[in-house]
Amino acid sequence: MQTIRLKTSSTAGERARPGPGRDLGPLFAGAATAVAGTGALLALIDSGSSLRGPLALFFLLAAPAAAIGAALRGLDPPARALTALAGAVALDMLVAQGMLATHHWSWRGGIVAVAAISILLLLLVLLRPVERILERMSRRTGKARSS
């Protein structure tokens, strides 16, 4: 059995790269968000654009992958990307299977369901540090009361 080690933090030398490509990460993330949002919007308004299919597919992969990737902060970037993409495909298939099994299949409903689940996962990841802070506070007050 192999032990998986999580990367907890990076050093300052890894973050501050000199050169022209150092600030492209947030730019690419913003562009991907815009493309995914456009794909969802084109699909929901039933546009006749030829970009509707590829952009909607990008949304169906990128939205859950971003939410899952945010939950896997400690993994190496390639492992994180691969795991998030596999999780996104699995989530899309589970949504489709659930809708087909209940005889409520619609492409509009699938996009809304994937968006809702992705937002829920992202919110759970964002609220996780608050739970840790509240847990620490309750431990401290519990120790103070018992002594």
Side-chain angles (χ1 to χ4, degrees), residues 35-36 38-40 42-43 51-62 111:
V35 168
T38 303
L42 287 175
L51 292 176
R52 180 182 70 179
L55 295 183
L57 179 62
F58 182 75
F59 170 77
L60 289 173
L61 290 175
I111 289 175

Side-chain angles (χ1 to χ4, degrees), residues 12 17 32 37-38 64 91 100 114-115 117:
R17 295 183 311 228
T38 303
L91 181 76
L100 286 171
V114 168
I117 292 171

Side-chain angles (χ1 to χ4, degrees), residues 95-109:
V95 166
Q97 184 177 5
M99 291 178 77
L100 286 171
T102 59
H103 302 289
H104 288 97
W105 170 252
S106 73
W107 51 269
R108 219 175 245 154

Side-chain angles (χ1 to χ4, degrees), residues 47-88:
S47 171
S49 172
S50 61
L51 292 176
R52 180 182 70 179
L55 295 183
L57 179 62
F58 182 75
F59 170 77
L60 289 173
L61 290 175
I68 294 170
L72 302 173
R73 279 182 267 190
L75 291 179
D76 294 338
R80 185 177 176 185
L82 184 64
T83 306
L85 187 61

